[in-house]
Coordinates of all heavy atoms in Angstrom, one line a residue:
A1 N 7.1 -10.0 5.9 CA 7.3 -8.5 6.0 C 7.7 -7.9 4.6 O 8.3 -8.6 3.8 CB 8.2 -8.2 7.0
F2 N 7.4 -6.7 4.4 CA 7.9 -6.0 3.2 C 8.2 -4.6 3.6 O 7.9 -4.2 4.7 CB 6.9 -6.1 2.0 CG 5.6 -5.5 2.2 CD1 5.3 -4.3 1.8 CD2 4.6 -6.2 2.9 CE1 4.0 -3.7 1.9 CE2 3.3 -5.7 3.1 CZ 3.0 -4.4 2.6
E3 N 8.7 -3.8 2.7 CA 9.0 -2.4 3.0 C 8.2 -1.5 2.0 O 7.9 -1.8 0.9 CB 10.5 -2.1 2.7 CG 11.4 -2.8 3.6 CD 12.9 -2.7 3.1 OE1 13.1 -2.3 1.9 OE2 13.8 -3.1 3.9
V4 N 7.8 -0.4 2.6 CA 7.3 0.7 1.7 C 8.2 1.9 1.8 O 8.8 2.2 2.8 CB 5.8 1.1 2.1 CG1 4.8 0.1 1.8 CG2 5.8 1.5 3.6
Q5 N 8.4 2.5 0.6 CA 9.3 3.7 0.6 C 8.4 4.8 0.1 O 7.6 4.7 -0.8 CB 10.4 3.5 -0.4 CG 11.4 4.7 -0.5 CD 12.7 4.4 -1.2 OE1 12.8 3.4 -1.9 NE2 13.6 5.2 -0.9
L6 N 8.6 5.9 0.8 CA 7.8 7.1 0.5 C 8.6 7.9 -0.6 O 9.8 8.3 -0.3 CB 7.6 8.0 1.7 CG 7.1 7.3 2.9 CD1 6.8 8.3 4.0 CD2 5.8 6.5 2.6
A7 N 8.1 8.1 -1.7 CA 8.8 8.8 -2.8 C 9.2 10.2 -2.4 O 10.3 10.7 -2.8 CB 8.0 8.8 -4.1
S8 N 8.3 10.9 -1.7 CA 8.6 12.3 -1.3 C 9.8 12.5 -0.5 O 10.6 13.4 -0.7 CB 7.4 12.9 -0.7 OG 7.1 12.2 0.5
S9 N 10.0 11.6 0.5 CA 11.1 11.8 1.5 C 12.2 10.7 1.3 O 13.3 10.9 1.9 CB 10.5 11.7 2.9 OG 10.0 10.4 3.1
G10 N 11.9 9.6 0.6 CA 12.9 8.6 0.5 C 12.8 7.6 1.7 O 13.5 6.6 1.8
K11 N 12.0 7.9 2.7 CA 11.9 7.2 3.9 C 11.4 5.7 3.6 O 10.5 5.5 2.9 CB 10.9 7.8 4.9 CG 10.9 7.3 6.3 CD 10.1 8.3 7.1 CE 9.9 7.7 8.5 NZ 9.2 8.7 9.4
V12 N 12.1 4.7 4.3 CA 11.7 3.3 4.1 C 11.1 2.8 5.4 O 11.7 3.0 6.5 CB 12.9 2.5 3.7 CG1 12.6 1.0 3.6 CG2 13.5 3.0 2.4
I13 N 10.0 2.2 5.3 CA 9.3 1.8 6.5 C 9.0 0.3 6.4 O 8.4 -0.1 5.3 CB 8.0 2.6 6.7 CG1 8.2 4.1 6.8 CG2 7.2 2.1 8.0 CD1 7.0 4.9 6.8
E14 N 9.3 -0.5 7.4 CA 9.0 -1.9 7.3 C 7.5 -2.2 7.7 O 7.0 -1.6 8.7 CB 9.9 -2.7 8.2 CG 9.5 -4.1 8.5 CD 10.6 -5.1 8.4 OE1 11.6 -4.9 7.7 OE2 10.5 -6.1 9.1
V15 N 6.9 -3.1 7.0 CA 5.5 -3.5 7.3 C 5.6 -4.9 7.8 O 5.8 -5.8 7.0 CB 4.6 -3.4 6.0 CG1 3.1 -3.8 6.4 CG2 4.6 -2.0 5.4
P16 N 5.4 -5.1 9.1 CA 5.5 -6.5 9.6 C 4.3 -7.3 9.2 O 3.2 -6.7 8.8 CB 5.6 -6.3 11.1 CG 5.0 -5.0 11.4 CD 5.2 -4.2 10.1
A17 N 4.4 -8.6 9.3 CA 3.3 -9.5 8.9 C 2.0 -9.3 9.6 O 0.9 -9.5 9.0 CB 3.7 -11.0 9.0
D18 N 2.0 -8.8 10.8 CA 0.8 -8.6 11.6 C 0.2 -7.2 11.5 O -0.7 -6.9 12.3 CB 1.0 -9.0 13.0 CG 2.1 -8.1 13.7 OD1 2.8 -7.4 13.0 OD2 2.2 -8.2 14.9
K19 N 0.7 -6.4 10.6 CA 0.2 -5.0 10.5 C 0.0 -4.8 9.0 O 0.6 -5.3 8.1 CB 1.1 -4.0 11.0 CG 1.2 -4.0 12.5 CD 1.9 -2.7 13.0 CE 1.8 -2.8 14.6 NZ 2.6 -1.7 15.1
T20 N -1.0 -3.8 8.7 CA -1.2 -3.4 7.3 C -0.3 -2.2 7.0 O 0.2 -1.5 7.9 CB -2.6 -3.0 7.1 OG1 -2.9 -1.8 7.9 CG2 -3.6 -4.0 7.5
A21 N -0.1 -2.0 5.7 CA 0.7 -0.8 5.3 C 0.1 0.4 5.8 O 0.8 1.4 6.3 CB 0.9 -0.8 3.8
L22 N -1.2 0.5 5.8 CA -2.0 1.7 6.3 C -1.6 1.9 7.7 O -1.3 3.1 8.1 CB -3.5 1.5 6.1 CG -4.4 2.6 6.7 CD1 -4.2 3.9 5.9 CD2 -5.8 2.2 6.6
E23 N -1.7 0.9 8.6 CA -1.5 1.1 10.0 C 0.0 1.6 10.2 O 0.2 2.5 11.0 CB -1.6 -0.3 10.7 CG -3.0 -0.7 10.9 CD -3.1 -2.2 11.4 OE1 -2.2 -3.0 11.2 OE2 -4.1 -2.5 12.1
V24 N 0.9 1.0 9.5 CA 2.3 1.4 9.7 C 2.5 2.9 9.2 O 3.2 3.7 9.9 CB 3.2 0.4 9.0 CG1 4.7 0.9 9.0 CG2 3.1 -0.9 9.6
L25 N 1.9 3.2 8.1 CA 2.1 4.6 7.6 C 1.4 5.6 8.6 O 2.0 6.6 8.8 CB 1.4 4.7 6.2 CG 2.2 4.0 5.1 CD1 1.3 3.9 3.8 CD2 3.4 4.7 4.7
L26 N 0.3 5.3 9.1 CA -0.4 6.2 10.1 C 0.5 6.3 11.3 O 0.7 7.4 11.8 CB -1.8 5.7 10.4 CG -2.8 5.7 9.3 CD1 -4.1 5.0 9.8 CD2 -3.1 7.1 8.8
E27 N 1.1 5.2 11.7 CA 2.0 5.3 12.9 C 3.2 6.2 12.6 O 3.8 6.8 13.5 CB 2.6 3.9 13.2 CG 1.6 3.0 14.0 CD 2.1 1.6 14.1 OE1 3.3 1.3 13.8 OE2 1.3 0.7 14.5
H28 N 3.6 6.3 11.4 CA 4.7 7.2 11.0 C 4.2 8.6 10.5 O 4.9 9.3 9.8 CB 5.6 6.5 9.9 CG 6.4 5.5 10.4 ND1 6.0 4.2 10.7 CD2 7.8 5.5 10.8 CE1 7.0 3.5 11.2 NE2 8.1 4.2 11.2
D29 N 3.0 8.9 10.9 CA 2.5 10.3 10.7 C 2.3 10.6 9.2 O 2.3 11.8 8.8 CB 3.4 11.4 11.3 CG 3.4 11.3 12.8 OD1 2.3 11.0 13.4 OD2 4.5 11.5 13.4
V30 N 2.1 9.6 8.4 CA 1.7 9.8 7.0 C 0.2 10.0 7.0 O -0.5 9.1 7.5 CB 2.2 8.6 6.1 CG1 1.7 8.9 4.7 CG2 3.7 8.4 6.1
D31 N -0.2 11.1 6.5 CA -1.6 11.4 6.5 C -2.4 10.8 5.3 O -2.6 11.5 4.3 CB -1.8 12.9 6.5 CG -3.2 13.4 6.9 OD1 -3.9 12.5 7.4 OD2 -3.5 14.5 6.7
L32 N -2.6 9.5 5.4 CA -3.3 8.8 4.3 C -4.8 8.7 4.6 O -5.1 8.2 5.6 CB -2.6 7.4 4.2 CG -2.7 6.7 2.9 CD1 -2.0 7.4 1.8 CD2 -2.2 5.3 3.1
P33 N -5.6 9.1 3.6 CA -7.0 9.0 3.8 C -7.4 7.5 3.8 O -6.9 6.7 3.0 CB -7.7 9.8 2.7 CG -6.6 9.8 1.6 CD -5.3 9.7 2.3
F34 N -8.4 7.1 4.6 CA -8.9 5.8 4.5 C -10.3 5.8 5.1 O -10.8 6.7 5.7 CB -8.0 4.8 5.4 CG -8.0 5.1 6.8 CD1 -8.9 4.4 7.7 CD2 -7.2 6.0 7.4 CE1 -8.9 4.7 9.1 CE2 -7.2 6.3 8.7 CZ -8.1 5.7 9.6
S35 N -11.0 4.7 4.8 CA -12.4 4.6 5.3 C -12.7 3.2 5.8 O -12.8 2.9 6.9 CB -13.4 5.1 4.2 OG -14.7 4.9 4.7
C36 N -13.0 2.2 4.8 CA -13.5 0.9 5.2 C -12.4 0.0 5.8 O -12.8 -0.8 6.6 CB -14.1 0.2 3.9 SG -12.8 -0.3 2.8
E37 N -11.2 0.2 5.5 CA -10.1 -0.7 5.9 C -10.3 -2.2 5.6 O -9.8 -3.1 6.2 CB -9.9 -0.6 7.4 CG -9.3 0.8 7.8 CD -8.9 0.9 9.3 OE1 -7.9 0.3 9.7 OE2 -9.7 1.5 10.1
E38 N -11.2 -2.4 4.6 CA -11.4 -3.8 4.2 C -11.2 -4.0 2.7 O -11.7 -5.0 2.1 CB -12.9 -4.1 4.5 CG -13.1 -4.3 6.0 CD -14.6 -4.6 6.3 OE1 -15.4 -4.6 5.4 OE2 -14.8 -5.0 7.5
G39 N -10.6 -3.0 2.0 CA -10.4 -3.2 0.6 C -11.6 -3.0 -0.3 O -11.5 -3.4 -1.5
V40 N -12.6 -2.3 0.2 CA -13.8 -2.2 -0.6 C -14.0 -0.8 -1.2 O -14.4 -0.6 -2.3 CB -15.0 -2.5 0.3 CG1 -16.4 -2.2 -0.4 CG2 -15.0 -3.9 0.8
C41 N -13.6 0.3 -0.4 CA -14.0 1.6 -0.9 C -13.0 2.3 -1.8 O -13.4 3.2 -2.6 CB -14.2 2.5 0.4 SG -12.7 2.9 1.3
G42 N -11.8 2.0 -1.7 CA -10.8 2.6 -2.6 C -10.2 3.9 -2.0 O -9.3 4.5 -2.7
T43 N -10.6 4.4 -0.9 CA -10.2 5.6 -0.3 C -8.7 5.6 -0.1 O -8.0 6.6 -0.2 CB -10.9 5.9 1.0 OG1 -12.3 5.8 0.8 CG2 -10.5 7.3 1.6
C44 N -8.1 4.5 0.3 CA -6.7 4.4 0.7 C -5.8 4.2 -0.5 O -4.6 4.0 -0.3 CB -6.5 3.3 1.7 SG -6.8 1.7 0.9
A45 N -6.3 4.1 -1.7 CA -5.5 3.8 -2.9 C -4.4 4.8 -3.1 O -4.7 6.0 -3.1 CB -6.3 3.7 -4.1
T46 N -3.2 4.4 -3.2 CA -2.1 5.3 -3.4 C -1.4 4.9 -4.7 O -1.4 3.7 -5.1 CB -1.0 5.3 -2.3 OG1 -0.5 4.0 -2.2 CG2 -1.7 5.6 -1.0
R47 N -0.8 5.9 -5.4 CA -0.1 5.6 -6.6 C 1.2 4.9 -6.4 O 1.9 5.2 -5.4 CB 0.2 6.9 -7.4 CG 0.0 6.8 -8.9 CD -0.1 8.1 -9.5 NE 1.1 8.8 -9.7 CZ 2.0 8.5 -10.7 NH1 1.7 7.6 -11.6 NH2 3.1 9.2 -10.8
L48 N 1.4 3.8 -7.1 CA 2.6 3.0 -7.0 C 3.6 3.3 -8.0 O 3.3 3.3 -9.2 CB 2.1 1.5 -7.1 CG 3.2 0.5 -6.9 CD1 3.6 0.4 -5.4 CD2 2.7 -0.9 -7.4
L49 N 4.8 3.5 -7.6 CA 5.9 3.9 -8.6 C 6.8 2.7 -8.9 O 7.3 2.6 -10.0 CB 6.7 5.1 -8.0 CG 5.9 6.3 -7.7 CD1 6.8 7.4 -7.1 CD2 5.3 6.9 -9.0
E50 N 7.0 1.8 -7.9 CA 7.9 0.7 -8.1 C 7.4 -0.4 -7.3 O 6.9 -0.2 -6.2 CB 9.3 1.1 -7.7 CG 10.2 1.4 -8.8 CD 11.6 1.8 -8.3 OE1 12.2 1.0 -7.6 OE2 12.0 3.0 -8.5
G51 N 7.7 -1.7 -7.7 CA 7.4 -2.8 -6.9 C 6.1 -3.5 -7.4 O 5.4 -3.0 -8.2
E52 N 6.0 -4.8 -6.9 CA 4.9 -5.6 -7.3 C 4.0 -5.9 -6.1 O 4.4 -6.6 -5.2 CB 5.4 -6.9 -7.9 CG 4.3 -7.7 -8.6 CD 4.7 -9.1 -9.0 OE1 5.9 -9.3 -9.1 OE2 3.9 -9.9 -9.3
P53 N 2.8 -5.3 -6.1 CA 1.9 -5.6 -4.9 C 1.3 -7.0 -5.0 O 1.2 -7.6 -6.0 CB 0.8 -4.6 -5.1 CG 1.1 -3.7 -6.2 CD 2.2 -4.4 -7.0
D54 N 0.8 -7.5 -3.8 CA 0.0 -8.6 -3.7 C -1.4 -8.0 -3.4 O -1.7 -7.8 -2.3 CB 0.5 -9.5 -2.6 CG -0.4 -10.7 -2.3 OD1 -1.4 -10.9 -3.1 OD2 -0.1 -11.5 -1.4
H55 N -2.2 -7.8 -4.5 CA -3.4 -7.0 -4.3 C -4.4 -7.9 -3.5 O -4.7 -9.0 -3.9 CB -4.0 -6.7 -5.7 CG -3.2 -5.8 -6.5 ND1 -3.1 -4.4 -6.2 CD2 -2.4 -6.0 -7.6 CE1 -2.3 -3.8 -7.1 NE2 -1.9 -4.7 -7.9
R56 N -5.0 -7.2 -2.5 CA -6.1 -7.9 -1.7 C -7.4 -7.2 -1.7 O -8.4 -7.6 -1.1 CB -5.6 -8.1 -0.3 CG -4.2 -8.7 -0.1 CD -4.3 -10.2 0.0 NE -3.0 -10.8 0.1 CZ -2.4 -11.1 1.2 NH1 -3.1 -11.0 2.4 NH2 -1.2 -11.6 1.3
D57 N -7.4 -6.0 -2.4 CA -8.6 -5.2 -2.4 C -9.6 -5.8 -3.4 O -9.2 -6.6 -4.3 CB -8.3 -3.8 -2.8 CG -7.8 -3.7 -4.2 OD1 -8.6 -3.6 -5.2 OD2 -6.6 -3.9 -4.5
V58 N -10.9 -5.4 -3.4 CA -11.9 -5.8 -4.3 C -12.4 -4.7 -5.2 O -13.3 -4.9 -6.0 CB -13.0 -6.6 -3.6 CG1 -12.5 -7.8 -3.0 CG2 -13.7 -5.7 -2.6
F59 N -11.9 -3.4 -5.0 CA -12.5 -2.3 -5.7 C -11.9 -2.1 -7.1 O -12.5 -1.6 -8.0 CB -12.5 -1.0 -4.9 CG -11.1 -0.5 -4.7 CD1 -10.5 0.4 -5.6 CD2 -10.4 -0.8 -3.5 CE1 -9.2 0.9 -5.4 CE2 -9.1 -0.3 -3.3 CZ -8.5 0.5 -4.2
M60 N -10.7 -2.7 -7.3 CA -10.0 -2.5 -8.6 C -10.4 -3.8 -9.5 O -10.7 -4.8 -8.9 CB -8.5 -2.5 -8.4 CG -8.0 -1.1 -8.0 SD -6.2 -1.1 -8.1 CE -5.7 -1.1 -6.4
T61 N -10.4 -3.5 -10.7 CA -10.6 -4.6 -11.7 C -9.3 -5.5 -11.8 O -8.2 -5.0 -11.5 CB -11.0 -4.1 -13.1 OG1 -9.9 -3.4 -13.6 CG2 -12.2 -3.2 -13.0
P62 N -9.5 -6.7 -12.3 CA -8.3 -7.5 -12.6 C -7.3 -6.8 -13.5 O -6.1 -6.9 -13.3 CB -8.8 -8.8 -13.3 CG -10.2 -8.9 -12.8 CD -10.7 -7.4 -12.6
E63 N -7.8 -6.0 -14.4 CA -6.9 -5.2 -15.3 C -6.1 -4.2 -14.5 O -4.9 -4.0 -14.8 CB -7.7 -4.6 -16.4 CG -8.3 -5.5 -17.5 CD -9.5 -6.3 -17.0 OE1 -10.2 -5.8 -16.0 OE2 -9.8 -7.3 -17.5
E64 N -6.8 -3.5 -13.6 CA -6.2 -2.5 -12.8 C -5.1 -3.2 -11.9 O -4.1 -2.6 -11.7 CB -7.2 -1.7 -12.0 CG -8.0 -0.8 -12.9 CD -9.2 -0.1 -12.2 OE1 -9.8 -0.8 -11.3 OE2 -9.6 1.0 -12.5
H65 N -5.5 -4.3 -11.4 CA -4.5 -5.0 -10.5 C -3.2 -5.4 -11.4 O -2.1 -5.2 -10.9 CB -5.1 -6.3 -10.0 CG -6.0 -6.1 -8.8 ND1 -6.8 -7.0 -8.3 CD2 -6.1 -5.0 -8.0 CE1 -7.5 -6.5 -7.3 NE2 -7.0 -5.3 -7.0
A66 N -3.5 -5.8 -12.6 CA -2.3 -6.3 -13.4 C -1.5 -5.1 -13.8 O -0.3 -5.2 -14.0 CB -2.9 -7.0 -14.7
A67 N -2.1 -3.9 -13.9 CA -1.3 -2.7 -14.2 C -0.3 -2.2 -13.1 O 0.6 -1.5 -13.4 CB -2.3 -1.5 -14.6
N68 N -0.6 -2.6 -11.9 CA 0.2 -2.3 -10.8 C 0.5 -0.8 -10.7 O 1.6 -0.4 -10.4 CB 1.6 -3.1 -10.8 CG 1.4 -4.5 -10.4 OD1 0.4 -4.9 -9.9 ND2 2.3 -5.3 -10.8
E69 N -0.5 0.0 -10.9 CA -0.3 1.5 -10.8 C -0.9 2.0 -9.5 O -0.6 3.2 -9.1 CB -1.1 2.1 -12.0 CG -0.3 1.9 -13.3 CD -1.1 2.4 -14.5 OE1 -2.3 2.7 -14.3 OE2 -0.5 2.4 -15.6
E70 N -1.7 1.2 -8.8 CA -2.2 1.7 -7.5 C -2.1 0.6 -6.5 O -2.1 -0.6 -6.8 CB -3.7 2.0 -7.7 CG -3.9 3.4 -8.3 CD -5.3 3.9 -8.1 OE1 -6.2 3.4 -8.7 OE2 -5.5 4.8 -7.2
F71 N -2.1 1.0 -5.2 CA -1.9 0.1 -4.1 C -2.9 0.4 -3.0 O -3.0 1.6 -2.6 CB -0.5 0.2 -3.6 CG -0.2 -0.5 -2.3 CD1 0.0 -1.9 -2.4 CD2 0.0 0.1 -1.1 CE1 0.3 -2.6 -1.2 CE2 0.3 -0.6 0.0 CZ 0.4 -2.0 0.0
A72 N -3.7 -0.5 -2.6 CA -4.7 -0.3 -1.5 C -4.0 -0.6 -0.2 O -3.8 -1.7 0.2 CB -5.9 -1.2 -1.7
A73 N -3.6 0.5 0.5 CA -2.7 0.4 1.7 C -3.4 -0.3 2.8 O -2.7 -0.8 3.7 CB -2.3 1.8 2.1
C74 N -4.7 -0.4 2.9 CA -5.4 -0.9 4.0 C -5.4 -2.5 4.0 O -5.6 -3.1 5.1 CB -6.9 -0.5 4.1 SG -7.9 -1.2 2.8
C75 N -5.1 -3.1 2.9 CA -5.2 -4.5 2.9 C -4.2 -5.2 2.0 O -3.8 -6.4 2.3 CB -6.6 -4.9 2.4 SG -7.0 -4.2 0.9
S76 N -3.7 -4.6 1.0 CA -2.8 -5.3 0.0 C -1.4 -5.4 0.6 O -1.0 -4.6 1.5 CB -2.8 -4.5 -1.3 OG -4.1 -4.7 -1.9
R77 N -0.7 -6.4 0.1 CA 0.7 -6.6 0.6 C 1.6 -6.6 -0.6 O 1.3 -6.0 -1.6 CB 0.7 -7.9 1.4 CG -0.4 -7.9 2.5 CD -0.1 -8.8 3.7 NE 1.1 -8.5 4.4 CZ 1.1 -7.6 5.4 NH1 0.0 -7.0 5.8 NH2 2.2 -7.4 6.1
A78 N 2.8 -7.2 -0.5 CA 3.7 -7.1 -1.6 C 4.3 -8.4 -1.9 O 4.6 -9.3 -1.1 CB 4.8 -6.1 -1.2
R79 N 4.6 -8.6 -3.2 CA 5.3 -9.8 -3.7 C 6.8 -9.4 -3.8 O 7.6 -10.3 -3.6 CB 4.8 -10.2 -5.1 CG 3.4 -10.8 -5.1 CD 3.1 -11.3 -6.5 NE 1.7 -11.3 -6.7 CZ 0.8 -12.2 -6.2 NH1 1.2 -13.1 -5.4 NH2 -0.5 -12.1 -6.5
S80 N 7.1 -8.1 -4.1 CA 8.5 -7.7 -4.1 C 8.9 -7.3 -2.7 O 8.0 -7.0 -1.8 CB 8.7 -6.6 -5.1 OG 7.7 -5.5 -4.9
K81 N 10.1 -7.2 -2.4 CA 10.6 -6.8 -1.1 C 10.2 -5.3 -0.7 O 9.9 -5.0 0.4 CB 12.1 -6.9 -1.0 CG 12.8 -6.4 0.2 CD 12.6 -7.4 1.4 CE 13.2 -6.8 2.7 NZ 12.4 -7.2 3.8
R82 N 10.1 -4.5 -1.8 CA 9.8 -3.1 -1.5 C 8.8 -2.5 -2.5 O 8.8 -2.9 -3.7 CB 11.1 -2.3 -1.6 CG 10.9 -0.8 -1.3 CD 12.2 0.0 -1.3 NE 13.1 -0.4 -0.3 CZ 14.3 0.2 -0.1 NH1 14.6 1.2 -0.9 NH2 15.1 -0.1 0.9
L83 N 7.9 -1.7 -2.0 CA 7.0 -0.9 -2.8 C 7.3 0.5 -2.7 O 7.5 1.0 -1.5 CB 5.5 -1.1 -2.4 CG 5.0 -2.6 -2.4 CD1 3.5 -2.6 -1.9 CD2 5.0 -3.1 -3.8
V84 N 7.4 1.3 -3.7 CA 7.7 2.7 -3.7 C 6.3 3.4 -4.0 O 5.8 3.2 -5.0 CB 8.8 3.2 -4.7 CG1 9.0 4.7 -4.5 CG2 10.1 2.4 -4.4
L85 N 5.9 4.1 -3.0 CA 4.6 4.8 -3.1 C 4.7 6.3 -3.3 O 5.6 6.9 -2.8 CB 3.8 4.6 -1.8 CG 3.6 3.1 -1.3 CD1 2.8 3.1 0.0 CD2 2.8 2.4 -2.4
D86 N 3.8 6.8 -4.1 CA 3.9 8.2 -4.5 C 3.3 9.1 -3.4 O 2.3 9.8 -3.6 CB 3.2 8.4 -5.8 CG 3.5 9.8 -6.4 OD1 4.4 10.5 -5.9 OD2 2.7 10.2 -7.3
I87 N 3.8 9.0 -2.2 CA 3.3 9.8 -1.1 C 4.5 10.4 -0.4 O 5.6 9.9 -0.5 CB 2.4 9.1 -0.1 CG1 3.0 7.7 0.3 CG2 1.0 8.9 -0.6 CD1 2.2 6.9 1.3
Ligands
LIG1 FE1 -11.3 1.2 1.9 FE2 -8.7 0.8 1.8 S1 -9.8 2.0 3.2 S2 -10.2 0.2 0.4

């Protein structure tokens, strides 16, 4: 499990191992756009302010993954305990 924090409200939400960050955010009424839910389209990409993702998407390049500036909420997870998202 890891946590996502919403930069706008400061709210911290736990993402359990059996759910995606996207699912948990939608459950908490965060209106995040998404489409494929498979890491392909990039619709769910959110700006990352802090933390180190475990990137699982395939739409970003290795360089973009290494930059850790975006997070694909439908599939990627976290190496750090918390990710701070610009939403
Ligand atoms: Fe398509 Fe996340 S919804 S990459």
